[in-house]
Each structure stands twice: as C-alpha cells, then as structure tokens.
Amino acid sequence: MWAAELETEFARVAGRFSRADLRWRMREYVRGLPGRVERKNGRQLAEWAGRRGPAGFRHLLNGAAWDADAVRDDLQRHVADRLGCRDGVLIVDDTGFLKKGTTSAGVRRQHSGTAGRTERRA
C-alpha cells in the first residue's frame, strides 16, 4: 500500500520536472530516503539506486530546472485534502530523530524527550 501511494504522489508532481530523466531521478532519490540506506547522502543513495555515482542526484538537487515551491504546494494541497480541514494545522515533529555522527548536516545538541536526555539531533 505504501509503495502504491508513493507512486501516486510521484505522478502528482511529475509535470513539475522538465525532463523524464529528472522525474526518474527524483523518484529514485525520494524512494531511497525512507529506505535502509545507512547514511542518507548522495553517494549512498545513488549506490542504493544502482547508479555509478552521485552526480545525477547532485544535479537534480543543485542544478536542474524544476520548481521546488510548486512541488511543495502540490503535495501540501493533497495532504490538506486527505487529512485536514480548512483551518487545520499539520505538525510534523522529527525532534526525536537521534543522530550518531558529529558531522551530519543539521546536527546539534539539544534535549530529546525520546531519549530523556541531551543528545545530538537533526
């Protein structure tokens, strides 16, 4: 069920990407994020997707022509239609996501209710 829903979301935003190869890269990249890849960096996600290197993902995120705001808006409308009401608010709280490394992006020491102590968190 999860995979089918994800495919529906890919179809929803596919038109926001100017070329088919960018659509496929976006699909591979997003499918890798919740996967079992140990570190969610371009190189390991590319290896997981069967690519030779991270250049394609880097191009998608840093140089390709696509409208990130439009993709966000498309997905936001869909989530609001499915989960919410007109004046509702959806809050996603990822503060319980603990990080083990010291060099990961966005990591800082802060109190974690999940861990019950101060930890490195994203």
Side-chain angles (χ1 to χ4, degrees), residues 9-114:
E9 297 311 312
F10 291 142
R12 182 179 319 283
V13 300
R16 301 296 185 182
F17 297 83
S18 59
R19 299 186 338 238
D21 64 314
L22 295 176
R23 288 189 288 273
W24 282 104
R25 257 187 231 134
M26 176 271 302
R27 185 176 177 272
E28 290 175 338
Y29 183 81
V30 171
R31 286 180 62 95
L33 290 174
R36 297 191 181 266
V37 179
E38 183 178 338
R39 297 184 70 205
K40 307 299 193 231
N41 61 42
R43 179 164 304 283
Q44 289 194 3
L45 287 169
E47 288 175 7
W48 175 86
R51 300 291 178 173
R52 286 184 292 213
F57 287 155
R58 287 184 185 147
H59 174 67
L60 172 69
L61 298 173
N62 299 321
W66 60 281
D67 189 344
D69 291 338
V71 170
R72 179 205 57 217
D73 293 347
D74 291 344
L75 295 175
Q76 184 275 331
R77 271 191 297 279
H78 174 67
V79 168
D81 290 346
R82 296 269 317 261
L83 298 179
C85 56
R86 289 228 175 258
D87 59 349
V89 176
L90 174 65
I91 299 171
V92 179
D93 180 10
D94 66 347
T95 60
F97 180 68
L98 301 177
K99 295 281 218 159
K100 294 183 180 148
T102 58
T103 59
S104 298
V107 173
R108 61 198 173 281
R109 291 186 59 77
Q110 55 185 301
H111 178 74
S112 169
T114 304

